[in-house]
């Protein structure tokens, strides 16, 4: 009969009790989508992984040749790689040769079909394992690098910090279960201050040469660089990086654990009550001489088993709830020499074209250019955010409320008469990762006044080589295809 069953009421009860959410608030969906956009701009696949794998594979004696655009043939896989694969045993055994491999999914389904090399693939994981074994000690040894885009005189030290979040569950090895792990960078300045080093600051750096090391010997022997400077980094990592990470994990997992605990307890207790009641009824029926399909002892045993299961699950959930941050570990470090300090030490130096002699003037150009682009974005109705200090491959993250998407804008301020624009490898890779949303904004600055910015969409088409730190592009050629901001 219609109306006897209240379907809506049942749906509400089921929605309250189910352990998963089929529907998310629109705001949450939007936030997740924007987070995914930012993550996509910094993704490793395909460009970073491709350049690393090819260089490392050749270094280990492998023979790899490009055959078509984005597709490669591996003529020979060295014995050392195949032997290591037999030891670590990740996935399908590595073959002696591959007719085609690729790093971008769009290049798989051409003839001949290509093997998709990505994180988790035995070939990539084995190469990483060998490189890590051979050169891991160099991370602890440290390095001295040069930041050609930095015009100040301030030396900085960047540390590679790893921290993980665990709960009380035990793995087969006896260690606590790791539920999240992060690798981040912390930056120490000469004044003793420590802050977040960004996503991948090393990508914009180049190795220092022996001549430059000799010129900077006194600076590299400064008192603040001596002693146990790692202690400051660990303190910063514990208070800031690890605690922020811990809060993120707790905010996400604890509500889920609470819901699971509530439903597990309710459902198992309901089953226990049912079998307890069933055992009593069956026992009475058996005493009265009735033949029963289920033995009352079996029903009683079932209730006891469910009771034991409830205790085990409650203990396991309690262990899952005990979320803690493990002590951070420092896996490596490097000293960063700014180009400004290096240039001041050299009497003759082959500076990049248009590298401003007056650092104050160049800083003013950068500020004027940034302000001009920020102003234009606001006039367009967008919400721009200056993130240039993070050095993530773009300077401004601008949200377009009409398309509900981010625009990734790299700002290049040039003095009047400049001929070239220097672009880092990280900026080029970011542009290739987000070709439809990346903008190279070029701003001409004269006497401290910025002219109208010009926007160049899809500014780069080719990936730089693995050892390339930056490339000088012809300014006039870039401007030929630039448009007014839109």
């Amino acid at each position: 009969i219609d109306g006897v069953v209240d379907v809506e009421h049942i749906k509400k009860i089921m929605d309250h009790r189910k352990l998963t959410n089929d529907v998310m608030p629109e705001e949450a969906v939007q936030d997740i989508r924007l987070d995914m956009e930012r993550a996509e701009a910094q993704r490793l696949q395909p460009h970073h992984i491709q350049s690393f794998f090819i260089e490392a594979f050749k270094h280990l004696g492998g023979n790899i040749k490009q055959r078509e655009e984005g597709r490669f043939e591996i003529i020979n896989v060295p014995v050392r790689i195949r032997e290591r694969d037999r030891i670590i045993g990740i996935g399908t055994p590595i073959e002696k040769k591959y007719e085609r491999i690729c790093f971008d999914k769009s290049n798989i389904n051409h003839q001949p079909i290509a093997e998709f090399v990505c994180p988790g693939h035995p070939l990539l994981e084995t190469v990483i394992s060998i490189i890590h074994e051979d050169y891991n000690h160099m991370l602890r040894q440290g390095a001295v690098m040069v930041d050609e885009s930095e015009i100040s005189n301030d030396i900085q030290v960047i540390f590679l910090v790893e921290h993980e979040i665990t709960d009380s569950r035990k793995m087969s090895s006896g260690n606590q279960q790791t539920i999240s792990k992060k690798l981040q960078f912390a930056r120490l300045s000469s004044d003793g201050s420590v802050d977040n080093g960004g996503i991948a600051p090393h990508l914009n750096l180049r190795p220092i040469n022996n001549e430059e090391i000799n010129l900077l010997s006194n600076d590299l022997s400064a008192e603040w660089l001596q002693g146990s400077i790692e202690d400051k980094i660990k303190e910063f990592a514990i208070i800031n990086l690890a605690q922020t990470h811990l809060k993120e994990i707790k905010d996400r997992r604890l509500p889920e654990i609470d819901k699971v605990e509530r439903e597990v307890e309710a459902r198992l207790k309901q089953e226990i009550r049912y079998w307890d009641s069933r055992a009593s009824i069956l026992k009475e029926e058996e005493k009265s001489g009735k033949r029963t399909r289920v033995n009352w002892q079996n029903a009683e045993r079932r209730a006891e088993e469910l009771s034991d299961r409830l205790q085990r699950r409650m203990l396991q959930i309690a262990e899952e709830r005990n979320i803690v941050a493990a002590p951070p570990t420092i896996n490596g470090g490097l000293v960063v020499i700014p180009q400004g300090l290096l240039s001041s030490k050299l009497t003759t130096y082959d500076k990049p074209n248009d590298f401003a002699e007056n650092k104050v003037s160049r800083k003013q150009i950068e500020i004027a250019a940034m302000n001009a682009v920020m102003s234009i974005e606001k006039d367009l109705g967008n919400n721009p955010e200056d993130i240039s200090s993070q050095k993530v491959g773009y300077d401004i993250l601008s949200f377009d409320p009409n398309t509900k998407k981010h625009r990734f804008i790299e700002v290049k301020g040039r003095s009047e008469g400049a001929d070239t624009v220097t672009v880092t490898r990280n900026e080029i890779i970011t542009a290739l990762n987000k070709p439809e949303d990346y903008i190279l904004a070029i701003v001409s600055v004269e006497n401290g006044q910025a002219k109208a910015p010009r926007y160049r969409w899809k500014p780069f088409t080719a990936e730089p080589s693995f050892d390339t730190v930056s490339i000088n592009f012809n300014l006039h050629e870039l401007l030929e295809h630039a448009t007014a901001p839109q």
Side-chain angles (χ1 to χ4, degrees), residues 8 11 15-16 75 95 97 104 118 197 199 205 242 279 288 305 365 374 390 403 414 417-418 427 449 473:
E8 292 301 320
K11 283 184 177 180
D15 287 342
H16 175 71
I75 301 170
E95 301 175 15
K97 60 181 180 180
D104 192 328
C118 60
I199 295 175
L205 310 178
S288 65
E305 289 173 355
I365 291 173
M374 292 284 285
Q390 299 179 24
T403 62
R414 313 309 293 156
E427 291 164 358
Q449 298 297 317
F473 287 87

Side-chain angles (χ1 to χ4, degrees), residues 10 15 79 108 158 203 354 383 392 395 402:
I10 293 175
D15 287 342
V79 174
I108 296 176
I158 294 177
L203 294 178
D354 194 41
N383 302 318
V392 292
D395 294 319
N402 294 322

Side-chain angles (χ1 to χ4, degrees), residues 200-256:
H202 60 291
L203 294 178
N204 293 329
L205 310 178
R206 68 165 176 84
I208 197 167
N209 59 46
N210 292 332
E211 178 190 357
E212 294 166 341
I213 283 284
N214 293 332
L215 287 170
L216 296 164
S217 58
N218 291 334
D219 298 274
L220 293 173
S221 302
E223 184 177 350
W224 73 276
L225 289 172
Q226 310 303 315
S228 55
I229 58 177
E230 291 186 4
D231 292 342
K232 293 181 179 179
I233 301 298
K234 287 182 178 180
E235 181 182 355
F236 171 80
I238 291 172
I239 296 173
N240 295 276
L241 303 182
Q243 291 304 314
T244 301
H245 188 194
L246 178 63
K247 185 178 184 303
E248 291 174 359
I249 299 301
K250 281 189 172 183
D251 289 347
R252 176 170 57 86
R253 287 183 65 89
L254 287 180
E256 296 176 358

Side-chain angles (χ1 to χ4, degrees), residues 8 45 58 76 82 113 144 151 186 210 402 454 459 472:
E8 292 301 320
Q45 195 84 22
K58 289 180 178 179
N76 175 57
R82 285 183 274 127
I113 299 297
V144 180
I151 60 176
N210 292 332
N402 294 322
R454 302 286 291 173
N472 287 337

